[in-house]
Every structure is written in C-alpha cells, then in structure tokens.
Amino acid sequence: MTSCSPSPSIIAFMDMATTLSELQQAHAHMLKTGLVRSTFAASRIIAFAATAPSSSPQSLAYAHSVFTHIDTPNSYTWSTIIRAHANSPTPENALLLFHQMLYSPVLPDKYTFPFVTKACSLLHAIEEGQQIHARVLKAGLCTDVYIGNTLIHMYASLGYTEQAFCLFDRMIQKDVISWNAIISGCMEQGLMEDARRLFDEMPERNVESWNFMITWCIDCGLVDDARSLFDRMPCKDVVSWNAMITGYMRASRFTEALRLAQDMQLAKVKPDNFTLVNVLSACARVGALSQGEWVHAYINKNGIEISGFIATALVDMYCKCGNLEKALQVFSNTKKKDITTWNSMIGGFSTHGNGEYALRFFSEMSADGFAPNEITFISVLSACSHAGLLNEGRRVFNLMTQVHEIEPAVEHYGCMVDLLGRARLFEEAEDLVNSSLCKDKPVVWESLLGACRSHGNVELAERVARRLVELDPNDSACYILLSNIYASMRRWDDVREVRGRMRTQKVKKEPGCSMIDVDGTVHEFRAGDRLHPQADEIYRKVDEMADRLKSVEYVPDTSQVLFEIGEEEKEIALLRHSEKLAIAFGLLNTGEGATIRIIKNLKVCRDCHTATKLISKVYGREIVVRDKNRFHHFKDGFCSCKDYW
C-alpha cells in the first residue's frame, strides 16, 4: 500500500459509522476508488472494527483480514490489531502477531508492549512475559509508566509478587495506576495486609483504589469496615455502590442493602444491570414487593431488555414476594428465556403449592428445548411434596435418575423423604435415607423428623433425633423438632431434658420473626416484643382480633405452646406470635381490602395457620404468608395449602 491520503469525506464517513456494515460500505468505496492503498485509511478501518464498543468476533475477524492485506503496516497498525486480540477471548493471537512483528521491519514501541504484556497475564504465560520484559529493557522503555504498570500487574497477578514489588520500588515515577496495579496484584494473591499497607501509603487515590479496598473488606467478611471506607470515599461510581450492596447481600443484611440502593438513587448514580439484579434479590429475601415493583418500573422506563439475569430476578422477586400472577406475567412476556428463568417460575409454583402448574411448566420447558438440570428437579420434587402428589413425585425422581442420569443430591433426597413422610410412608422414607449416598447429611434426617412431628410418630422421631445428634450435635433443628413433639404430647419432663441438653451443648434456637413491607419500608416483629413505635396500637389490634375470632368459634391450639404454663397464659402467648403482630400491623397500616403480605423465617405453627384463615374471613382480607418452607394464601377462611404443609 502507498501512503496517499484518503478523502476527508471518507474519513468522516468512517468516523460516523456505528455498525460493521456501515464500515464495510466505506471500505467498499475505498476499494473502488483505490484509496484502500492508503496505510492510514486501512489502519482506521482496523482500529474501528477491532476496538469499537460494538465490536464482535466477526468484526475482529474482518479487521484481521484487512490487516493481512496491508503491505507495510506501521507500528500503529501492529499495535491496534495486537490490542484487539489481547482484549478478545483469544489473547494468544496477540502473542502470535507480536512474534510476527518482531520479524517485520517495524519494531514494537511503547504502545505495543502493554497489550502483549496483558495477553501474557490472561494466558498465565510468565516465561513469555519475562521475555517481553527483557525486550522492554533492551528498547530502553523501562521508565515508561504505562509499560511499568502492566508489567507490575502481570507479575503480581501471576504470583510473582517479589518481582512486582521490585519493579514498583524501582519506578522513578509512579502514578495512581501504578499503586492500583500492585494493590490489585496483592489482593489477587491473598496478600491482604500488604494491600492495606499500600493503600494507606498512597499519595493519591482514585475511585478504583477505594473500590479495591472495599472489595477486600467484603471478601474478608468485614462489611462494617467496608462501609466505613465507602462513607469516606470522596467520589463513588456504580462499581462502589455495587460492591457495598453485594457486601450486605453476602452478609444477609438485606434491609441495609435496600436502604443503600435508595441512597444510590438519591445520589443520582445510575444503576446497572448488576445493581438491579442485586436489589431485586434483596427485595425477594425480605418480601419488599413495593421496592421490587419500583425496580420493575425503572427497567421498563429505561428500555432495559427483560431477559437473562434480569428476567430471572424479576420472576424470582415476584414469586418470593407472593405475587405469583405478576411473576407469570413477566415470565410470559420474556421472549429470551433461559434455563434459570424456567427454574425460577417452576420454583415459584412449587413454593406457592401449585404442584400441577409446576408439573405442566416442567413439561413445557422440555418441549421448548430446555433440558432440566438439578435445580429444576429440586423445584418439581418440592412441588410434588407441597401438593401431596406422591405418584408424580416418584415418577419425576425416576425420570431424573434413569432418563436424565442426574445423580440425586441431598436436596432431591430431602424432597422425596418429605413427600414419603407426609404420606405416612415412614418405613419407605427411612429406607430411602439409609440407602442413599446422603445418609450422613443432617438435612435429609431433618425432613424425616419434621414428618414425624406432623404425624406424631414419636418412636421414629426419637430414633431419627439420636441419629441427628450423632451427625451434628450443635444443630438446633433436631433438638427443637423433638422438643416440639414432646410438648405437643405434654411430655414436659422430656421437653426439659431436651432443653437441658441444648444448654449443655450451648445450642442456640433461631428466634422466630415476621416481616411486612408497607409503603416501601420493611417492618420486623418478634414474638412478644414491644420495640415497634406503634406497639400499643398493635397490641390493641391483637386484642380486637382475638375478640372477633371468638365470634367465629376460634379455639386456641395451646398444644403449640412449647413450655409448661397455665392455659390462659398459653392463649396469651399464642396471640403474641410474630405473624399475628405483623398481621395486626398490616390491618392498621394498609388500605381497606388491601392484601397483607408477610414473610416468616420459621414454619408457621398450626394455631397461627388456623387463626390466619379466620382473620382473612372476618376482616375480608387476603393474607399471604411465606414461611420457611412455602407460601400460604389465606382468603375467605381457607388456605391455598389445603391444610397440607
């Protein structure tokens, strides 16, 4: 090619191109007019096709094709195509081109070395990286800050921290990128104390520096330390907010994650898809339906495509916040579904007790070309268990093992044990556990123990509880379930003996709590507490509820009180259960006829289940309760679980 200058109009057209096809039009014109012989013009084509934001494997291949037809590529052209491959899924091609360049008349320069060094980092090619370092020294470019930074990152990220520190210490000029490179490398190698020391020594920090340290704190579980750094940041970007929200999510501090998301909105920082998925996940965990609906409205308003992770997060949020109809609407309107979207919808049907719909969608998913995976079968088996579909559950379990050849995991066995236990097939359930590869996993025995409690099988319960204590003496579940069985039979001496063992083992029982979202704020209640600002009103409402329940012949089930006190005291204790306090709050603070949605961390007790059915009738409210295992939709005196939970 010659060095003739192309027409300014062609260059302008290339600069205005936004797609590969538009660029190809400019290229065709240059071929027709002979302007393609200009090395400068060809380099512009390569630069656009290889580095534009919309570039793809096809555009990179096109750029490479153009490059191979240049007779005498200059250093800019070489560096551009090397850079493109270094940033692609095939960085090894960058090294191949670099070796070709070494045999060309053009020598690599300070714009070439950083990209081949990056390729070495990605490929873990330390020997090639050291050779490139030697060429940098030979070319007299060892003082170039940009090259030095990429070399530091290469050595540190590949575990050669001594060489990285040596380079860093010898740098005559260091910029903030130099410090970030060595800190990032230390963090990748788990050298957290070195990373923290370097951060404290930095003469200046940019937002990336702060983000490194926030991420470091979060990865070490130091969420409050991360928040302290976050609050000190002079300028935060979306990565900063996402890192902190992620920290709260990992620590199961979902309410704080939602509050931070609200602060992000007030700070006018635009959330990205990662933010939206995290916030939707937090909404799902605490039942914050109104905030989840706000996120959905934001997605629609900003024209964000509902597919992939976004679609799955929306379906999951609506399912877990009790609005199955809205979840189904999102699912139906999602054109690009994947296996996780299907799993979320089937899982939603499962937790809401709609076993028949779960089975139907399971069939439709297969017909749509998606092969079920382990998570799919957990949801379908769980759906069969919640709905009491014994034969269907057995069929699905056999389908999983024999047709799809999926090895059952502990969750699958847990579902089957629960299904058999609910059907009072205790011997078959126990045989299944003993014959499985998961017989040493407490969770499958806990499923059997739960079934024993539901049906009062004390003999088996005692045997299963002993097995659970052998497997994990510090797990509170077996003690609580066995104690509850004894209490329901008024075997108070046995209750005291079990509770005594808990104290000896220092086993802590998870306290029951219920949460309700009203006007975007999540309110949490524990049994008998008076911490809420509206406590006096709430307790007056509870007393009113009790009076109205008596009018429809409600009789408190005092067998659910798991300690030995008088009958009247037991009735009062039942009225102070956390879900009843949450319902009273909902009646006080939501409009007439509005649905009350509650999330409970434990399984709802029999008395609260009976009372909530009647409350839904006497107050004319639909009440949706998500407990530890499933959803209950109470309406007109009935529950969607049909008293099977």
Side-chain angles (χ1 to χ4, degrees):
M1 290 190 179
T2 66
S3 59
C4 63
S5 299
S7 164
S9 61
I10 293 297
I11 295 298
F13 185 78
M14 284 194 292
D15 288 342
M16 292 172 61
T18 57
T19 65
L20 182 60
S21 63
E22 290 177 353
L23 185 71
Q24 287 171 328
Q25 291 177 37
H27 189 198
H29 181 77
M30 291 167 62
L31 288 167
K32 184 177 180 180
T33 60
L35 291 173
V36 74
R37 291 191 297 274
S38 165
T39 302
F40 175 74
S43 297
R44 295 293 289 267
I45 293 175
I46 293 169
F48 176 91
T51 62
S54 59
S55 61
S56 64
Q58 292 79 15
S59 61
L60 179 55
Y62 184 75
H64 195 94
S65 175
V66 173
F67 174 80
T68 59
H69 287 85
I70 300 176
D71 295 330
T72 55
N74 57 25
S75 61
Y76 171 77
T77 312
W78 278 105
S79 296
T80 300
I81 196 67
I82 288 171
R83 172 190 176 189
H85 282 291
N87 290 330
S88 78
T90 55
E92 60 272 14
N93 289 334
L95 294 184
L96 291 173
L97 283 164
F98 178 70
H99 286 299
Q100 292 176 23
M101 184 181 185
L102 295 178
Y103 289 97
S104 76
V106 181
L107 293 175
D109 58 19
K110 66 177 184 179
Y111 300 106
T112 316
F113 286 115
F115 301 118
V116 286
T117 305
K118 178 180 180 179
C120 291
S121 297
L122 294 170
L123 295 167
H124 296 267
I126 186 61
E127 290 185 8
E128 289 84 349
Q130 289 171 329
Q131 291 171 13
I132 289 166
H133 187 186
R135 289 189 175 276
V136 168
L137 295 171
K138 186 176 179 180
L141 296 172
C142 56
T143 59
D144 185 88
V145 174
Y146 190 30
I147 296 174
N149 292 344
T150 55
L151 284 169
I152 289 170
H153 182 267
M154 180 195 72
Y155 281 122
S157 65
L158 298 183
Y160 292 78
T161 50
E162 186 176 343
Q163 289 90 329
F165 273 108
C166 184
L167 260 175
F168 179 78
D169 292 337
R170 288 179 179 176
M171 288 184 73
I172 299 171
Q173 288 184 311
K174 300 183 184 77
D175 60 12
V176 68
I177 308 301
S178 314
W179 288 87
N180 286 345
I182 192 72
I183 290 173
S184 173
C186 288
M187 291 176 67
E188 288 182 33
Q189 296 303 315
L191 303 174
M192 301 307 186
E193 293 305 321
D194 285 324
R196 186 60 189 256
R197 174 181 57 79
L198 288 163
F199 178 78
D200 291 338
E201 293 174 359
M202 287 183 76
E204 63 172 313
R205 301 163 182 150
N206 62 7
V207 67
E208 190 177 25
S209 315
W210 289 93
N211 289 344
F212 281 147
M213 295 314 301
I214 289 172
T215 303
W216 173 79
C217 290
I218 288 168
D219 288 343
C220 297
L222 305 173
V223 182
D224 292 325
D225 289 351
R227 182 57 193 262
S228 177
L229 284 166
F230 179 83
D231 290 339
R232 287 167 49 201
M233 286 184 72
C235 181
K236 305 175 182 72
D237 62 6
V238 67
V239 176
S240 319
W241 290 92
N242 284 345
M244 198 63 242
I245 291 171
T246 299
Y248 282 133
M249 293 293 293
R250 287 186 188 174
S252 299
R253 291 161 64 169
F254 308 113
T255 303
E256 288 167 280
L258 290 176
R259 279 202 294 264
L260 193 64
Q262 292 173 334
D263 293 341
M264 182 179 181
Q265 181 189 356
L266 294 173
K268 301 189 185 307
V269 177
K270 186 177 181 180
D272 60 13
N273 284 11
F274 187 85
T275 318
L276 298 173
V277 169
N278 254 336
V279 174
L280 287 170
S281 178
C283 292
R285 297 300 293 265
V286 300
L289 178 61
S290 58
Q291 286 179 265
E293 289 174 327
W294 181 91
V295 175
H296 190 185
Y298 178 91
I299 289 169
N300 289 334
K301 182 180 178 181
N302 288 273
I304 298 171
E305 182 182 17
I306 297 179
S307 63
F309 290 122
I310 290 285
T312 300
L314 276 170
V315 170
D316 187 61
M317 182 275 295
Y318 279 121
C319 285
K320 289 179 178 174
C321 288
N323 196 329
L324 194 60
E325 296 78 10
K326 193 72 174 180
L328 185 56
Q329 183 183 25
V330 172
F331 178 84
S332 300
N333 292 334
T334 300
K335 293 181 175 61
K336 297 179 182 177
K337 300 181 182 72
D338 58 22
I339 185 68
T340 61
T341 319
W342 281 98
N343 284 346
S344 288
M345 194 67 248
I346 294 171
F349 286 128
S350 172
T351 56
H352 285 266
N354 293 347
E356 293 177 359
Y357 271 92
L359 288 167
R360 194 183 90 186
F361 271 63
F362 173 62
S363 298
E364 289 181 5
M365 183 187 79
S366 299
D368 206 30
F370 290 95
N373 60 17
E374 294 86 349
I375 295 173
T376 315
F377 282 106
I378 291 172
S379 295
V380 178
L381 289 171
S382 178
C384 293
S385 175
H386 289 321
L389 302 174
L390 178 61
N391 292 332
E392 290 84 349
R394 283 172 165 159
R395 179 182 65 81
V396 169
F397 190 79
N398 290 334
L399 184 69
M400 176 182 73
T401 56
Q402 296 173 14
V403 177
H404 292 277
E405 299 182 341
I406 294 175
E407 185 71 29
V410 63
E411 294 85 359
H412 303 108
Y413 282 114
C415 291
M416 285 303 297
V417 169
D418 190 58
L419 178 60
L420 294 167
R422 288 171 183 271
R424 304 193 183 200
L425 299 173
F426 295 112
E427 185 176 344
E428 185 178 345
E430 188 175 12
D431 288 344
L432 179 64
V433 176
N434 283 318
S435 65
S436 75
L437 297 174
C438 301
K439 60 185 178 182
D440 293 331
K441 302 294 184 182
V443 67
V444 290
W445 291 102
E446 287 171 8
S447 294
L448 184 54
L449 186 56
C452 292
R453 181 199 175 190
S454 298
H455 298 294
N457 190 330
V458 180
E459 181 183 350
L460 179 58
E462 290 176 321
R463 188 163 70 248
V464 171
R466 284 195 294 270
R467 178 64 175 144
L468 275 167
V469 170
E470 290 175 7
L471 292 173
D472 188 357
N474 295 315
D475 183 7
S476 65
C478 64
Y479 297 101
I480 298 302
L481 284 169
L482 187 59
S483 174
N484 292 354
I485 292 170
Y486 288 144
S488 66
M489 301 182 69
R490 302 182 186 278
R491 290 172 54 174
W492 300 115
D493 289 341
D494 291 321
V495 171
R496 282 189 286 271
E497 192 271 331
V498 172
R499 299 282 174 161
R501 271 190 282 164
M502 288 181 68
R503 286 191 293 271
T504 300
Q505 291 291 134
K506 297 182 179 179
V507 176
K508 298 292 185 181
K509 176 184 180 295
E510 181 183 8
C513 72
S514 297
M515 293 178 288
I516 179 171
D517 172 26
V518 174
D519 296 331
T521 301
V522 177
H523 302 261
E524 185 174 321
F525 297 91
R526 297 183 185 274
D529 74 33
R530 288 183 171 270
L531 299 176
H532 197 277
Q534 287 183 258
D536 291 341
E537 292 177 77
I538 291 168
Y539 277 87
R540 283 196 294 271
K541 195 67 175 180
V542 167
D543 292 336
E544 177 200 298
M545 286 161 47
D547 291 338
R548 294 190 65 173
L549 286 175
K550 288 177 184 176
S551 70
V552 289
E553 300 181 348
Y554 159 71
V555 178
D557 185 355
T558 55
S559 69
Q560 299 298 295
V561 179
L562 306 175
F563 40 92
E564 192 176 8
I565 54 176
E567 286 298 307
E568 185 177 348
E569 292 172 288
K570 287 182 179 181
E571 291 184 15
I572 294 172
L574 287 173
L575 284 171
R576 303 301 188 253
H577 276 194
S578 64
E579 52 264 64
K580 291 191 179 85
L581 298 179
I583 290 171
F585 177 81
L587 290 171
L588 285 168
N589 293 278
T590 59
E592 191 71 25
T595 299
I596 295 173
R597 302 177 190 274
I598 294 167
I599 289 183
K600 182 175 172 62
N601 66 329
L602 304 177
K603 183 178 179 180
V604 63
C605 78
R606 189 178 294 111
D607 178 76
C608 284
H609 192 268
T610 300
T612 307
K613 285 195 297 183
L614 296 172
I615 292 168
S616 73
K617 181 178 181 179
V618 298
Y619 283 93
R621 295 289 196 104
E622 181 177 0
I623 302 172
V624 181
V625 177
R626 183 180 106 198
D627 72 5
K628 183 180 181 181
N629 297 329
R630 61 169 297 158
F631 271 93
H632 301 264
H633 293 254
F634 300 93
K635 189 174 183 180
D636 299 327
F638 297 94
C639 179
S640 60
C641 76
K642 300 174 184 174
D643 298 339
Y644 186 88
W645 84 101

mmCIF file of all heavy atoms in Angstrom, residues 355-370:
data_model
loop_
_atom_site.group_PDB
_atom_site.id
_atom_site.type_symbol
_atom_site.label_atom_id
_atom_site.label_comp_id
_atom_site.label_asym_id
_atom_site.label_seq_id
_atom_site.Cartn_x
_atom_site.Cartn_y
_atom_site.Cartn_z
ATOM 1 N N GLY A 355 -48.648 -27.483 42.619
ATOM 2 C CA GLY A 355 -47.912 -28.621 42.080
ATOM 3 C C GLY A 355 -48.268 -28.950 40.649
ATOM 4 O O GLY A 355 -47.393 -29.299 39.846
ATOM 5 N N GLU A 356 -49.564 -28.859 40.323
ATOM 6 C CA GLU A 356 -49.980 -29.206 38.961
ATOM 7 C C GLU A 356 -49.393 -28.243 37.932
ATOM 8 O O GLU A 356 -48.972 -28.650 36.845
ATOM 9 C CB GLU A 356 -51.507 -29.221 38.883
ATOM 10 C CG GLU A 356 -52.124 -30.349 39.712
ATOM 11 C CD GLU A 356 -53.641 -30.329 39.689
ATOM 12 O OE1 GLU A 356 -54.204 -29.417 39.048
ATOM 13 O OE2 GLU A 356 -54.250 -31.204 40.323
ATOM 14 N N TYR A 357 -49.341 -26.937 38.265
ATOM 15 C CA TYR A 357 -48.737 -25.966 37.350
ATOM 16 C C TYR A 357 -47.235 -26.206 37.225
ATOM 17 O O TYR A 357 -46.663 -26.058 36.141
ATOM 18 C CB TYR A 357 -48.997 -24.542 37.835
ATOM 19 C CG TYR A 357 -50.283 -23.952 37.321
ATOM 20 C CD1 TYR A 357 -51.467 -24.065 38.054
ATOM 21 C CD2 TYR A 357 -50.335 -23.287 36.106
ATOM 22 C CE1 TYR A 357 -52.660 -23.531 37.589
ATOM 23 C CE2 TYR A 357 -51.511 -22.744 35.624
ATOM 24 C CZ TYR A 357 -52.673 -22.877 36.369
ATOM 25 O OH TYR A 357 -53.845 -22.359 35.897
ATOM 26 N N ALA A 358 -46.599 -26.555 38.332
ATOM 27 C CA ALA A 358 -45.161 -26.837 38.277
ATOM 28 C C ALA A 358 -44.884 -27.996 37.328
ATOM 29 O O ALA A 358 -43.946 -27.945 36.515
ATOM 30 C CB ALA A 358 -44.640 -27.158 39.679
ATOM 31 N N LEU A 359 -45.703 -29.040 37.402
ATOM 32 C CA LEU A 359 -45.523 -30.190 36.517
ATOM 33 C C LEU A 359 -45.813 -29.820 35.061
ATOM 34 O O LEU A 359 -45.126 -30.279 34.139
ATOM 35 C CB LEU A 359 -46.439 -31.330 36.964
ATOM 36 C CG LEU A 359 -46.026 -32.041 38.267
ATOM 37 C CD1 LEU A 359 -47.144 -32.914 38.775
ATOM 38 C CD2 LEU A 359 -44.760 -32.861 38.056
ATOM 39 N N ARG A 360 -46.822 -28.980 34.855
ATOM 40 C CA ARG A 360 -47.160 -28.575 33.491
ATOM 41 C C ARG A 360 -46.031 -27.760 32.866
ATOM 42 O O ARG A 360 -45.629 -27.994 31.725
ATOM 43 C CB ARG A 360 -48.454 -27.759 33.486
ATOM 44 C CG ARG A 360 -49.053 -27.582 32.099
ATOM 45 C CD ARG A 360 -50.278 -26.718 32.140
ATOM 46 N NE ARG A 360 -49.920 -25.307 31.956
ATOM 47 C CZ ARG A 360 -50.779 -24.295 32.058
ATOM 48 N NH1 ARG A 360 -52.037 -24.530 32.377
ATOM 49 N NH2 ARG A 360 -50.391 -23.051 31.866
ATOM 50 N N PHE A 361 -45.499 -26.802 33.621
ATOM 51 C CA PHE A 361 -44.409 -25.975 33.096
ATOM 52 C C PHE A 361 -43.132 -26.798 32.931
ATOM 53 O O PHE A 361 -42.321 -26.520 32.045
ATOM 54 C CB PHE A 361 -44.164 -24.774 34.017
ATOM 55 C CG PHE A 361 -45.005 -23.582 33.667
ATOM 56 C CD1 PHE A 361 -46.390 -23.645 33.757
ATOM 57 C CD2 PHE A 361 -44.435 -22.406 33.233
ATOM 58 C CE1 PHE A 361 -47.177 -22.565 33.429
ATOM 59 C CE2 PHE A 361 -45.203 -21.309 32.891
ATOM 60 C CZ PHE A 361 -46.593 -21.389 32.987
ATOM 61 N N PHE A 362 -42.976 -27.812 33.772
ATOM 62 C CA PHE A 362 -41.841 -28.729 33.630
ATOM 63 C C PHE A 362 -41.904 -29.418 32.267
ATOM 64 O O PHE A 362 -40.891 -29.530 31.557
ATOM 65 C CB PHE A 362 -41.883 -29.749 34.765
ATOM 66 C CG PHE A 362 -40.872 -30.849 34.659
ATOM 67 C CD1 PHE A 362 -39.511 -30.573 34.683
ATOM 68 C CD2 PHE A 362 -41.269 -32.173 34.551
ATOM 69 C CE1 PHE A 362 -38.566 -31.584 34.595
ATOM 70 C CE2 PHE A 362 -40.339 -33.202 34.463
ATOM 71 C CZ PHE A 362 -38.986 -32.901 34.487
ATOM 72 N N SER A 363 -43.085 -29.836 31.857
ATOM 73 C CA SER A 363 -43.264 -30.463 30.543
ATOM 74 C C SER A 363 -43.065 -29.451 29.423
ATOM 75 O O SER A 363 -42.418 -29.744 28.406
ATOM 76 C CB SER A 363 -44.661 -31.086 30.442
ATOM 77 O OG SER A 363 -44.836 -32.101 31.401
ATOM 78 N N GLU A 364 -43.588 -28.225 29.616
ATOM 79 C CA GLU A 364 -43.458 -27.195 28.583
ATOM 80 C C GLU A 364 -42.005 -26.783 28.390
ATOM 81 O O GLU A 364 -41.572 -26.487 27.268
ATOM 82 C CB GLU A 364 -44.310 -25.979 28.957
ATOM 83 C CG GLU A 364 -45.811 -26.220 28.842
ATOM 84 C CD GLU A 364 -46.622 -24.996 29.201
ATOM 85 O OE1 GLU A 364 -46.013 -23.918 29.459
ATOM 86 O OE2 GLU A 364 -47.867 -25.090 29.232
ATOM 87 N N MET A 365 -41.251 -26.765 29.479
ATOM 88 C CA MET A 365 -39.840 -26.405 29.390
ATOM 89 C C MET A 365 -39.095 -27.400 28.501
ATOM 90 O O MET A 365 -38.299 -27.021 27.633
ATOM 91 C CB MET A 365 -39.211 -26.383 30.780
ATOM 92 C CG MET A 365 -37.757 -25.954 30.798
ATOM 93 S SD MET A 365 -36.980 -26.127 32.410
ATOM 94 C CE MET A 365 -36.659 -27.874 32.406
ATOM 95 N N SER A 366 -39.358 -28.687 28.695
ATOM 96 C CA SER A 366 -38.715 -29.714 27.874
ATOM 97 C C SER A 366 -39.149 -29.585 26.419
ATOM 98 O O SER A 366 -38.329 -29.712 25.504
ATOM 99 C CB SER A 366 -39.068 -31.105 28.407
ATOM 100 O OG SER A 366 -38.608 -31.266 29.737
ATOM 101 N N ALA A 367 -40.444 -29.300 26.208
ATOM 102 C CA ALA A 367 -40.949 -29.134 24.846
ATOM 103 C C ALA A 367 -40.334 -27.922 24.165
ATOM 104 O O ALA A 367 -40.212 -27.877 22.936
ATOM 105 C CB ALA A 367 -42.472 -29.009 24.871
ATOM 106 N N ASP A 368 -39.907 -26.924 24.972
ATOM 107 C CA ASP A 368 -39.303 -25.706 24.436
ATOM 108 C C ASP A 368 -37.808 -25.881 24.174
ATOM 109 O O ASP A 368 -37.129 -24.930 23.787
ATOM 110 C CB ASP A 368 -39.537 -24.548 25.413
ATOM 111 C CG ASP A 368 -39.543 -23.198 24.718
ATOM 112 O OD1 ASP A 368 -39.925 -23.137 23.533
ATOM 113 O OD2 ASP A 368 -39.159 -22.199 25.351
ATOM 114 N N GLY A 369 -37.302 -27.083 24.418
ATOM 115 C CA GLY A 369 -35.905 -27.372 24.085
ATOM 116 C C GLY A 369 -34.922 -27.229 25.218
ATOM 117 O O GLY A 369 -33.706 -27.293 25.003
ATOM 118 N N PHE A 370 -35.408 -27.032 26.456
ATOM 119 C CA PHE A 370 -34.508 -26.877 27.599
ATOM 120 C C PHE A 370 -34.465 -28.182 28.393
ATOM 121 O O PHE A 370 -35.498 -28.681 28.842
ATOM 122 C CB PHE A 370 -34.968 -25.744 28.511
ATOM 123 C CG PHE A 370 -34.805 -24.383 27.912
ATOM 124 C CD1 PHE A 370 -35.860 -23.776 27.246
ATOM 125 C CD2 PHE A 370 -33.600 -23.705 27.989
ATOM 126 C CE1 PHE A 370 -35.729 -22.523 26.685
ATOM 127 C CE2 PHE A 370 -33.446 -22.450 27.421
ATOM 128 C CZ PHE A 370 -34.511 -21.861 26.765
#
